[in-house]
Amino acid sequence: MTMSSNHTNLRDIWYTMIGIPGLEEIHIWLSIPICSMYIVALIGNTLLIFLIFTEHSLHEPMYLFLSMLALADIILSTVTTPKVLAIFWFHAGGISFAGCVSQMFFLHFMFVTESAILLAMAFDRYIAICFPLRYTTILTPSVICRMGIASLTRSFFICFPLVFLVYRLTYCGRNIIHHSYCEHMGIARLACDSIKVNIYYGMTVPLFSIGLDIMLIIISYPLILHTVFRIPSQNARLKALGTCGSHVCVILLFYTPSLFTFFAHRFGGHSIPRHMHILFANLYVVVPPTLNPIIYGVKTKQIQDRFSQMFSFTKACF
């Protein structure tokens, strides 16, 4: 639907997302791994949440934070992937302005929230290893609850201004989004007037908030490792390194592709093809949610034991 008026009513705007430009002929093939990973992410994270909340021995701060991460992964991947698959399978790229802005908000909101959860998990490891005798007195259920609420509140105040920034713009005709989902700058670039405020806010505020999370995580790990290598028991040392290793893997999975996409999108210019930008953007909302429960399932003995018990019980019933 093409807009001919100079000032379009936002309620009348419909966009068409075209998926991954330049790769339209292989959309159906790209949908196979994306759909497979999305199903694994849903099943894996749902199972992880179920195991944690039904097993009393897993009601520890580390696993409660892990359940928050699993829930955030489910929401993050669900915000985008079903629409991506609809585009790939049925060419159903149409979306209203309000729907596009909603998708944009929840995408950025969940990304910032997940970053905060990873920081909380780093704090959990720091307290557990550096102050083990005070672990349960510092990270009480009420403290964990407040940390979760603080993560959501911070993310809301960071991301909600993006809604106002796109609503204040004037739109007058361009309605093709060369992407498979809606994100802040993708919407802003379809406007007719200046988007300098959108560019400055979109670069500085989220970057500094997520940059602060990364900085604090980086600061925590030398302190953690210094304490770990002073543990006299080799078994205890290996156990501590195992839980830290899982967290580091999840951190790298989350931040590496997203930061690559962020910097390549803004500073890569024409050196990186557009379809590579968008392909990476699709992967970073589905790959970490797929692999996170696998990483923790493989590296965490308590989760392995609980899963084995549940699997044995299910097998015995049949």
Side-chain angles (χ1 to χ4, degrees):
M1 164 176 187
T2 303
M3 307 301 164
S4 57
S5 61
N6 290 332
H7 301 285
T8 304
N9 189 324
L10 296 181
R11 291 177 298 179
D12 297 332
I13 297 178
W14 276 78
Y15 293 130
T16 300
M17 294 184 287
I18 62 173
I20 304 178
L23 299 181
E24 289 88 350
E25 293 184 359
I26 60 170
H27 274 177
I28 194 68
W29 297 107
L30 291 173
S31 71
I32 296 172
I34 290 175
C35 181
S36 301
M37 285 188 287
Y38 178 58
I39 292 171
V40 172
L42 288 181
I43 295 173
N45 286 291
T46 302
L47 181 59
L48 193 57
I49 293 171
F50 176 79
L51 290 176
I52 291 171
F53 279 92
T54 56
E55 176 56 44
H56 188 267
S57 65
L58 297 180
H59 292 178
E60 298 178 9
M62 183 180 81
Y63 301 110
L64 295 177
F65 286 125
L66 182 55
S67 66
M68 293 181 193
L69 181 68
L71 180 60
D73 279 338
I74 291 172
I75 298 173
L76 179 65
S77 57
T78 301
V79 165
T80 57
T81 308
K83 185 62 177 178
V84 171
L85 294 175
I87 295 169
F88 288 176
W89 290 340
F90 312 114
H91 307 288
I95 189 170
S96 67
F97 181 82
C100 197
V101 172
S102 297
Q103 187 184 55
M104 173 208 77
F105 170 76
F106 283 107
L107 172 68
H108 295 298
F109 174 77
M110 292 314 305
F111 182 81
V112 178
T113 299
E114 191 152 336
S115 178
I117 294 171
L118 289 175
L119 175 60
M121 293 175 76
F123 179 71
D124 166 77
R125 291 298 83 206
Y126 171 73
I127 298 298
I129 292 172
C130 298
F131 303 98
L133 298 179
R134 299 174 58 193
Y135 181 56
T136 55
T137 58
I138 293 175
L139 288 174
T140 61
S142 62
V143 170
I144 294 169
C145 183
R146 286 199 292 269
M147 290 174 71
I149 293 171
S151 300
L152 293 173
T153 303
R154 186 193 76 152
S155 302
F156 179 83
F157 281 111
I158 289 172
C159 298
F160 195 67
L162 297 175
V163 176
F164 289 102
L165 289 176
V166 294
Y167 263 97
R168 72 180 180 88
L169 298 172
T170 303
Y171 301 89
C172 52
R174 288 173 287 186
N175 67 329
I176 302 296
I177 296 179
H178 297 277
H179 208 305
S180 49
Y181 57 77
C182 298
E183 46 89 28
H184 172 231
M185 289 310 302
I187 300 174
R189 288 197 174 99
L190 298 175
C192 307
D193 42 13
S194 173
I195 60 170
K196 285 185 178 180
V197 176
N198 297 70
I199 294 173
Y200 294 147
Y201 188 90
M203 286 185 63
T204 56
V205 177
L207 183 60
F208 276 111
S209 61
I210 293 170
L212 178 62
D213 293 345
I214 296 172
M215 185 77 69
L216 292 173
I217 291 171
I218 291 173
I219 290 171
S220 71
Y221 265 91
L223 301 174
I224 292 171
L225 292 175
H226 176 71
T227 303
V228 167
F229 288 115
R230 292 173 60 191
I231 298 174
S233 168
Q234 184 177 1
N235 289 336
R237 196 161 55 238
L238 291 175
K239 182 180 178 181
L241 286 173
T243 58
C244 291
S246 301
H247 186 233
V248 170
C249 289
V250 169
I251 288 170
L252 293 176
L253 272 173
F254 179 75
Y255 286 117
T256 303
S258 57
L259 289 177
F260 170 82
T261 302
F262 179 87
F263 288 111
H265 186 62
R266 284 158 178 80
F267 308 115
H270 299 290
S271 59
I272 301 176
R274 176 186 285 178
H275 66 267
M276 289 301 297
H277 286 291
I278 299 172
L279 185 58
F280 265 91
N282 279 280
L283 291 177
Y284 88 67
V285 295
V286 73
V287 172
T290 302
L291 296 180
N292 288 348
I294 297 173
I295 291 170
Y296 275 99
V298 168
K299 288 185 170 286
T300 309
K301 188 176 185 301
Q302 292 93 325
I303 293 176
Q304 289 179 13
D305 292 343
R306 177 63 180 133
F307 179 78
S308 298
Q309 291 172 9
M310 188 181 72
F311 181 76
S312 299
F313 176 78
T314 305
K315 188 175 180 182
C317 290
F318 289 96

